[in-house]
Each structure stands twice: as C-alpha cells, then as structure tokens.
Amino acid sequence: MADLQRTIDAKEAAASNRKERLPELEMLRGLAILGVLTVHATSSAVVAVQNSWVRDAYVALNAFSLFCVPAFIFLTGFVLFYNYAGRPMSWSGLGAFYVKRLKQLVVPYIWVSLGYELAASALKHRSWEPSDMLGRFGKHALNGGAYPHLYYVIITIQLYALFPLLLLVFRKLRLPAAAAVPLGFAVQWAFYLLHLNVWHLEAKGSWSLTYFAAFLLGAYGGMRPNALKSWLGIGEQSRGRGGKLRFALGAALWLAAAAGFLRMHVAYRSGGAVPEGYWFEIGYNLFTLMTTLMLLGACIQLGNGRKARKPAAALADLGALSFGIYLVHPFFLLLYHRHPPASATPLIYHLWTAGGFVFALGASLLVLLPAHRYVPGAWLVLGPAPAKFGPKPKAEAEEEAAADVRLQEATE
C-alpha cells in the first residue's frame, strides 16, 4: 500500500510539474530561422548591387532579419527558465541536464564542424597534413570557426553552462523574476563597455554576454509568461482599454526603434553620415529585442486565430526543424553561390538571389525530413529529431504495414 501511495504521489508531482505547451515559441523559432536564411541569402547582394534604392532595399531587408539570433537566444532563456525554474536542482539533476545538452547540441556541433572543415579544406586548397588539420579543427571547434554561422552554437553552449549558476543566483538571493530584465541589460552593457575600452576582443559576437539582455528577457518570460503577455497587451489579462494602450505603445516603440536602426544601417552601408558613439549598439539592442517581442505577440495571436491554423502549424513545424536547418543550410547556399547567373540583367540577378533562399530552405528540408524519419543515428549530425518527424512508433508502423497489406489484397 505504501509503494502504491508513493507511485501515486510521484505521478501527481510529475503532473503538477508538467508545463503547458506554448506553440507560439515554436512559431517564433520558425520566423527566426526564416530570418537566418534571409540574412545569408541576401549577404552577397548587399555587397554586389551598386548604390541605389534597390541596394538600400537589400540592406534594409538584411538588417531587419538580424533579429534572428537574439530571438533564438530569447527562446533559449524562455525555455530553460520555463521548464526548470520551478524544479529542484540536485547534483544528479544537474548531471542529467548537462548530459542531455551534450547529446543534443555538442555532439551534432562537432560532426557538423568536421564536415564544414573538410569542405573548406577542399575548396580553399588547405594543407591535408593530419597535424595541420587537427590543429585547425581543434581551434575552430572551440571558437565556432569551422564556418561563420557556427558561432551561434558556441554562444548556446556558453548559455547552457551559465544557466544552472543563474538559476542558483535567483533562488539563493530570492530575486523576483522582474529583476532578470535590468540584470540582463546591466551585464550586457558592462561587457560591451569593457570590450570597447579595455579588452578589445577579436570576436565579441562569439561571447554569450553580447546577447545577455535577450537571454534574461527570455528568462523573465519563462518565469512569468502571463506577465509578459500582459506587457505586450495580449492575453486574458490585457482585455480592455489598458491592454490596447500597452499594445499601441509597444508597437509605436518598435516602429521607432526599427526605423532608427534601419536608417542608420542603410546610411552606413551607403557611405552616408551616421551618428557616433554608442548609437549603433543601442539601436541594434532595442530593435532586435522589440522585434522579438512583437513577433512573439504576433505568433500568439496567429495561434489563437481559427482561420490561420495552417500557417501557424507550418511555422511551428519549421521551428521544430530549425536547429537542423541552421546547421546544414549554409552548405547548400555555398553550392548555390558557386553558380551565379550568366546574365547580368538586374531582374535575373534578383530572381537568382531569391532562389538562393528557396534552394537553401528546400534542400535542407529534403535532407532533414527523410533523415530524421528513416536514418538511424541522424541526430549525431542533424540534432535531435522532433517528435512529429522522428521514427514512427513500432505500433503505428505495424498498423500502417497491415493497412498496406489489406489494401493490396482488396485490389488484387
């Protein structure tokens, strides 16, 4: 009887710790990966197109899409604190946390880095001496240098390493969730000023503290999701004039931040006058955070709309596959950009640029979907398979096979 009661208590505790599913997070992740693809697909056009309104349009599109990495980091903070802030963290739990992250993040990162390292060695005619290759690979594995986009994985590894310490700080000091927001800005700007005036780091963007405001803003959202919705002027608590006013104020601030940052970015790329001092850093910080919050609000509204179920589901599916897409899409863009259009006609060039986006996304999905479903061990390179796209459960597969047999017998 005692064993039975303990089992019931354990099940009840597990149920109480089970968090409500938030599909808007996967939808925001889907928008973020589209932003990554846009940045990379337009990067060559930003340089190649001559100064004109067309180039300004490319620069603005490229700059607007820069919200993507802070959005991913916001989501990392949100998910970690949402899932773990209410749980006790024992030494065994801490070990399980790191083992899970090692398996899901570090292992695919190492294999993908090796693949990009070999590809770069072949394309750039580097030395194939084992000692030279091992030396390069070891250095690049530590700093994400095997290919430019892999710096983001290094940042995520740093954040996973810091997370238990941050959680301990919040618990021991009994900090309110709202303290996460000013703390994130304080740490990020202290790091930025130290870099600018003392350290002069070679690759500031490869350090997680560069994005700490986004991470701890996500932490606040994870600990207080309903309060974040209230901030945005959406959700049950935001109905009425107060919610509409907050939403309008947030939208106005976002539009102002976006207009200011994009204007500075376009002027800088075109050789125009730009403000001196910290304005670029301030503009980037405010624009990316405000864009992330506004897009999160849009995802919540989209998920609640009955007429938008298919777009919402498509975005959520894209978000579920985003890590694999992030890892492999530069390889397809690299192949695509090795075959520029023969014609110099502007229209052909613009179509070719847009085609890079479509090709990178389509080719990534064509690799990921069958690999996750049918290739054992694909997670070693592509990351963990989302439940929806992973191997089918044995019972389901057997039922489908039986249905196929019945269909064949009925039609013979």
Side-chain angles (χ1 to χ4, degrees):
M1 181 64 70
D3 291 340
L4 177 60
Q5 186 60 47
R6 279 196 295 270
T7 302
I8 293 173
D9 291 342
K11 288 183 177 180
E12 288 179 349
S16 65
N17 287 329
R18 192 176 298 121
K19 295 287 188 176
E20 177 190 0
R21 183 173 171 272
L22 301 176
E24 58 266 23
L25 300 184
E26 289 292 16
M27 293 163 63
L28 179 58
R29 209 181 300 276
L31 289 174
I33 196 61
L34 291 177
V36 170
L37 287 162
T38 302
V39 170
H40 293 163
T42 58
S43 59
S44 60
V46 166
V47 176
V49 176
Q50 297 298 315
N51 275 346
S52 63
W53 71 267
V54 178
R55 183 183 181 183
D56 290 350
Y58 273 121
V59 171
L61 179 60
N62 185 277
F64 183 87
S65 302
L66 293 175
F67 78 89
C68 54
V69 168
F72 275 129
I73 292 170
F74 167 87
L75 286 165
T76 299
F78 195 119
V79 170
L80 286 175
F81 279 85
Y82 185 72
N83 287 326
Y84 290 96
R87 294 187 192 178
M89 184 65 81
S90 62
W91 285 109
S92 60
L94 187 64
F97 173 84
Y98 282 119
V99 168
K100 183 178 180 181
R101 265 63 201 180
L102 175 71
K103 179 180 177 181
Q104 294 184 344
L105 185 68
V106 179
V107 172
Y109 166 71
I110 293 297
W111 284 108
V112 165
S113 294
L114 179 60
Y116 280 110
E117 193 72 47
L118 294 173
S121 295
L123 294 173
K124 297 180 180 180
H125 307 290
R126 292 172 177 169
S127 168
W128 288 88
E129 285 292 326
S131 59
D132 294 339
M133 293 188 66
L134 285 174
R136 281 197 306 270
F137 179 64
K139 178 183 177 181
H140 290 161
L142 291 175
N143 63 15
Y147 211 76
H149 72 304
L150 293 175
Y151 79 97
Y152 165 71
V153 184
I154 294 296
I155 290 171
T156 308
I157 293 171
Q158 294 171 26
L159 292 174
Y160 282 150
L162 287 172
F163 166 68
L165 178 61
L166 281 169
L167 192 58
L168 182 65
V169 167
F170 271 88
R171 287 177 176 174
K172 291 297 183 182
L173 299 182
R174 297 184 178 179
L175 295 177
V181 179
L183 178 62
F185 278 101
V187 171
Q188 178 172 319
W189 275 88
F191 174 76
Y192 172 71
L193 293 173
L194 284 169
H195 152 71
L196 197 65
N197 300 301
V198 181
W199 294 332
H200 309 294
L201 298 170
E202 184 177 346
K204 176 179 75 75
S206 295
W207 291 89
S208 62
L209 298 183
T210 300
Y211 306 95
F212 221 61
F215 182 67
L216 286 191
L217 180 60
Y220 170 76
M223 291 186 282
R224 297 290 185 271
N226 290 331
L228 182 62
K229 288 182 180 181
S230 181
W231 267 25
L232 299 175
I234 56 179
E236 294 293 329
Q237 300 175 347
S238 299
R239 292 181 177 178
R241 184 176 298 177
K244 292 179 180 178
L245 183 61
R246 284 193 298 274
F247 178 80
L249 180 60
L253 290 173
W254 170 66
L255 288 172
F261 176 68
L262 295 180
R263 184 175 180 181
M264 281 193 299
H265 210 81
V266 170
Y268 173 75
R269 285 285 190 175
S270 303
V274 295
E276 298 180 358
Y278 306 128
W279 286 107
F280 258 104
E281 193 72 14
I282 293 170
Y284 175 79
N285 203 186
L286 291 179
F287 164 71
T288 54
L289 293 182
M290 291 297 298
T291 302
T292 297
L293 291 176
M294 294 304 294
L295 289 177
L296 176 62
C299 289
I300 294 171
Q301 300 285 35
L302 186 66
N304 291 336
R306 295 182 179 179
K307 296 181 179 180
R309 288 179 179 174
K310 288 185 178 180
L315 270 181
D317 288 346
L318 202 60
L321 293 163
S322 60
F323 183 56
I325 295 172
Y326 190 91
L327 290 179
V328 304
H329 81 272
F331 175 73
F332 298 112
L333 268 179
L334 176 65
L335 296 179
Y336 186 84
H337 285 156
R338 288 177 66 84
H339 302 282
S343 171
T345 305
L347 178 59
I348 298 297
Y349 180 81
H350 301 324
L351 290 174
W352 177 78
T353 301
F357 176 95
V358 175
F359 178 74
L361 177 59
S364 298
L365 293 175
L366 285 174
V367 168
L368 288 168
L369 292 175
H372 279 319
R373 180 76 78 189
Y374 302 112
V375 179
W379 67 270
L380 291 167
V381 179
L382 303 176
K388 180 177 179 179
F389 302 107
K392 291 183 179 180
K394 185 176 181 181
E396 183 181 344
E398 289 176 351
E399 177 60 30
E400 285 192 3
D404 291 338
V405 170
R406 290 194 297 269
L407 178 62
Q408 183 178 358
E409 291 174 348
T411 54
E412 284 180 348

